[in-house]
Amino acid sequence: MDASAAERYARQTRFPPLGAAGQARLAAAHVAIVGCGALGSAQADLLARAGVGHITIIDRDYVEGSNLQRQRLFDEADARDALPKAAAAARHLAQINSLTRVDGVVADLDSDNVGRLLAGAQVLLDGADNFETRYLLNDYAVARGLPWIYGAAVGSYGCTFTIRPGATACLECVFGPRPEGAAETCETAGVLNFVVDWVAAQQAGEAIKLCAGQTAALRPTLAAADLWRNEFRQLAAPPRDPACPCCGQRRFVHLEALSAAASTVLCGRNAVQVNPRRGALDLPALARRLQSLGTVRQNEFVLRFAPQTGPLEMTLFADGRAIIQGTDDPAAARSLYARYIGA
Ligand SMILES: [Zn+2]
């Protein structure tokens, strides 16, 4: 560690359980953050400042004005430009700590790309807002024997649990099969920013302990709190379930599932993601083609198109995905995509 790095981390290395040796392990560590909304951006901020050497951030979405209340890596310019969150996060983190390598990956994590996108990461952090991604992450982590840290926040309630395959119960041992149907979300129930930070702080703390090799300091319980009602609970985690399809039977149904459906309703947002898995789109060429058909706005990452003919707006990503705003009907979204982009 050179002098400026030593000075930078001095308050942390002075903490005996970490010390210079722990700091060196953080510098050599690679953490992946799946989902860079409120939880993910707070985790990334803490881990970059703590000196984790390599952070991969995966997110499928772009920054909107309604994110700024709690997604603390982003600012008004990011929302105005509709920057992809992974790219905006990488840009801000580079200014926070240039010693940390940050890979911002604009993609929707699925069973096809999970192995490639998470390759090399030794700790996985849950910043996702949906159970599809979490159960996929759980399958991947158990299959590869990697620790991952679940976290969720809604309203004034937050919950987190550190999962170490082979040592603790997995997500499926704790919560059973993946829930189907609608659940309470931040869009429907709201969420308070200090609740998100409470969860993210614990996730980041557990990640730092794991990276530093301090497994004895990990929290074995499920931590839950309602910060409005000032209720804090530590729930004993259930034991590993030998009948658990994932960690007991090692049947990784989410990992082996066929590619995610071609369209996903983004719950509570009046939007549908269309992912025809057609491969990369040439956004500048597309912008020229769509110019006469409606309003086109473009930056280096995304193209926004509002057709003259209707109320819907489409945000296109270079990986071929689109988010259609203004509908929760997958068929209408796919049809708009097919009409202007091609099936
Ligand atoms: Zn299990």
Side-chain angles (χ1 to χ4, degrees):
M1 202 168 13
D2 69 24
S4 67
E7 172 59 23
R8 176 177 203 125
Y9 302 120
R11 302 301 180 280
Q12 195 164 285
T13 50
R14 212 163 281 160
F15 180 68
L18 269 178
Q23 193 65 47
R25 293 185 76 146
L26 292 187
H30 180 186
V31 173
I33 296 176
V34 177
C36 195
L39 286 172
S41 57
Q43 295 157 10
D45 181 57
L46 289 165
L47 294 179
R49 288 180 193 278
V52 168
H54 185 180
I55 303 175
T56 297
I57 295 175
I58 300 158
D59 193 280
R60 64 185 181 188
D61 218 339
Y62 55 87
V63 183
E64 295 178 286
S66 66
N67 300 151
L68 301 181
Q69 164 256 357
R70 66 197 177 285
Q71 302 189 12
R72 59 151 123 138
L73 273 184
F74 310 127
D75 59 27
E76 291 179 359
D78 299 330
R80 197 170 50 239
D81 297 341
L83 287 184
K85 291 180 181 179
R91 184 177 292 180
H92 289 292
L93 290 167
Q95 292 175 335
I96 289 167
N97 191 348
S98 58
L99 301 174
T100 292
R101 168 181 165 190
V102 180
D103 297 330
V105 182
V106 185
D108 189 14
L109 194 78
D110 62 29
S111 55
D112 285 342
N113 62 24
V114 63
R116 181 167 53 82
L117 298 188
L118 297 181
Q122 66 199 76
V123 177
L124 312 175
L125 278 161
D126 174 14
D129 60 357
N130 65 85
F131 279 112
E132 286 81 1
T133 304
R134 289 192 180 110
Y135 276 73
L136 174 66
L137 206 48
N138 189 56
D139 268 10
Y140 176 81
V142 171
R144 301 286 171 97
L146 294 170
W148 79 279
I149 305 161
Y150 163 82
V154 64
S156 59
Y157 175 82
C159 178
T160 176
F161 178 49
T162 303
I163 294 166
R164 294 168 67 211
T168 70
C170 82
L171 187 76
E172 202 155 348
C173 295
V174 177
F175 293 116
R178 189 178 82 191
E180 301 289 345
E184 197 80 291
T185 67
C186 294
E187 279 73 18
T188 58
V191 65
L192 301 174
N193 59 13
F194 51 90
V195 175
V196 172
D197 273 18
W198 181 85
V199 174
Q202 300 203 55
Q203 291 179 285
E206 294 284 279
I208 285 171
K209 294 172 194 171
L210 282 162
C211 292
Q214 300 278 358
T215 50
L218 292 168
R219 176 174 31 69
T221 55
L222 232 138
D226 185 320
L227 296 188
W228 196 259
R229 299 165 65 167
N230 306 308
E231 291 169 357
F232 296 85
R233 288 197 291 169
Q234 301 244 27
L235 310 166
R240 287 185 60 201
D241 178 2
C244 171
C246 176
C247 71
Q249 311 290 315
R250 298 187 69 80
R251 289 199 312 269
F252 303 116
V253 294
H254 308 287
L255 205 51
E256 286 152 14
L258 293 173
S259 307
S263 56
T264 316
V265 178
L266 302 177
C267 215
R269 278 186 46 191
N270 197 29
V272 177
Q273 172 179 267
V274 176
N275 189 357
R277 296 178 194 289
R278 51 177 292 149
L281 284 175
D282 182 349
L283 296 182
L286 205 51
R288 288 191 293 277
R289 205 171 90 200
L290 296 172
Q291 210 81 56
S292 61
L293 302 169
T295 311
V296 173
R297 285 158 57 208
Q298 201 192 353
N299 60 37
E300 60 186 296
F301 305 108
V302 297
L303 186 162
R304 281 199 160 183
F305 172 60
Q308 278 154 1
T309 50
L312 304 183
E313 189 183 49
M314 185 172 346
T315 300
L316 288 149
F317 296 84
D319 67 0
R321 284 177 305 122
I323 291 177
I324 317 291
Q325 188 73 45
T327 182
D328 51 15
D329 174 7
R334 281 196 300 270
S335 121
L336 192 78
Y337 189 101
R339 188 168 349 134
Y340 289 104
I341 316 303

